[in-house]
Amino acid sequence: MASEGSKTNILLTQGAEGRVFLSTLVGKLCIIKERFKKAYRHPTLDTKLTKQRIVQETRNMTRLSKEGLNAPAVYFVDTVENKIYMEYIANSVMVKDFLRSLNDNYEDPLTFQIVEEIGKTLAQMHDLGIVHGDLTTSNMLLKIPDDEFQEISRSNLQTYVDQNRVTEVINKIKSEGSIASSMMRVYLIDFGLSSCSTMSEDKGVDLYVLERAFLSTHPGSEAVWKRLLAAYEATSKGSAEVIAKFQEVRRRGRKRLAFG
């Protein structure tokens, strides 16, 4: 494995908690997620807490995969370097990029079908007792079948993350009526803040975080959000309690915004 400064590792994102690279592992494309060490914490405590977060993250991803939900497969975990090596989801785009490409025109059957699939996926995740903790349309991927759009083999990893490739996939989604919505897959990613919980309030907070992120990132998408929530409600076994808690959390949030 080459070092992160080499041409074989491409930095995709970097935040306060860590950074994400596109790389290869034994000749296969993969994603590397690295958690930063926290200098303000005692080294022993930092090592313990970071390891716990990595274990929790990989455990939740693996459980989702085993239960038939779409999450990146975990290849390798390095708790010394604080890195997770996971599956690169080929032929996919962030849901955020797809929705933004619609230029605020969300009223079409394909978009409704996609957000309904998101709602069903979230319901199934919550029914397994997993709370994501950071739901946004940036943490969801829309994947089309590999046999519909073969990823071009590229010697330069940088071309995998160029905007042209993203546009190619989005155009394929929009233009190919032959790709049934049932063949598309919604993948949940970035489980760094995930946890295990059966509490309706925790799941309601998960939905509230997504609603805030959804409506702020995609103005005018209220009808789409309602479709997503309706699909969640129709799928989840415990949806009545979760939706009630979601509405309660929403009311509290609005009160804080109004009165500070």
Side-chain angles (χ1 to χ4, degrees), residues 44-62:
T44 303
L45 177 62
D46 182 63
T47 299
K48 180 180 179 180
L49 293 178
T50 301
K51 183 177 181 179
Q52 288 177 347
R53 291 307 313 166
I54 290 175
V55 169
Q56 184 72 56
E57 180 173 5
T58 55
R59 184 174 291 163
N60 286 338
M61 291 169 62
T62 301

Side-chain angles (χ1 to χ4, degrees), residues 34-35 37 54 78-83 85:
E34 176 189 17
R35 282 183 173 269
K37 293 181 179 180
I54 290 175
D78 185 342
T79 55
V80 176
E81 296 292 331
N82 299 331
K83 294 177 181 177
Y85 294 77

Side-chain angles (χ1 to χ4, degrees), residues 68-222:
L69 275 72
N70 296 316
V74 177
Y75 293 150
F76 177 67
V77 180
D78 185 342
T79 55
V80 176
E81 296 292 331
N82 299 331
K83 294 177 181 177
I84 304 172
Y85 294 77
M86 67 187 81
E87 178 185 9
Y88 165 73
I89 308 300
N91 302 333
S92 67
V93 292
M94 286 191 295
V95 170
K96 179 185 75 172
D97 289 337
F98 173 74
L99 292 177
R100 282 184 170 174
S101 76
L102 301 175
N103 297 317
D104 300 333
N105 181 23
Y106 305 108
E107 302 290 329
D108 70 272
L110 176 60
T111 304
F112 286 150
Q113 290 166 349
I114 289 171
V115 297
E116 286 168 2
E117 186 63 27
I118 293 172
K120 293 175 184 177
T121 300
L122 298 182
Q124 292 168 330
M125 176 184 71
H126 282 170
D127 282 355
L128 289 174
I130 296 175
V131 173
H132 187 280
D134 189 22
L135 286 174
T136 70
T137 52
S138 295
N139 287 337
M140 302 172 187
L141 299 178
L142 183 60
K143 174 179 170 56
I144 59 178
D146 292 339
D147 58 357
E148 290 283 352
F149 185 79
Q150 284 296 325
E151 187 77 75
I152 301 170
S153 179
R154 298 171 170 91
S155 58
N156 183 356
L157 286 183
Q158 183 64 53
T159 59
Y160 281 95
V161 296
D162 285 346
Q163 184 59 38
N164 286 340
R165 192 205 65 82
V166 174
T167 303
E168 286 175 14
V169 178
I170 289 176
N171 288 341
K172 185 72 174 178
I173 293 171
K174 291 179 178 179
S175 65
E176 288 293 330
S178 62
I179 303 179
S181 61
S182 60
M183 295 172 65
M184 295 185 189
R185 295 289 180 264
V186 172
Y187 276 73
L188 300 178
I189 61 172
D190 197 356
F191 285 82
L193 296 178
S194 66
S195 60
C196 294
S197 175
T198 58
M199 306 235 350
S200 296
E201 172 131 1
D202 292 337
K203 299 171 185 178
V205 170
D206 227 16
L207 293 179
Y208 178 66
V209 169
L210 178 58
E211 181 190 44
R212 291 289 302 274
F214 201 102
L215 298 181
S216 63
T217 306
H218 311 288
S221 62
E222 286 81 5

Side-chain angles (χ1 to χ4, degrees), residues 15-43:
E17 297 294 320
R19 50 188 178 174
V20 177
F21 297 92
L22 174 65
S23 188
T24 57
L25 182 67
V26 293
K28 187 173 184 177
L29 282 172
C30 74
I31 295 295
I32 301 175
K33 182 174 181 181
E34 176 189 17
R35 282 183 173 269
F36 293 142
K37 293 181 179 180
K38 302 295 179 63
Y40 60 84
R41 286 199 298 228
H42 187 280

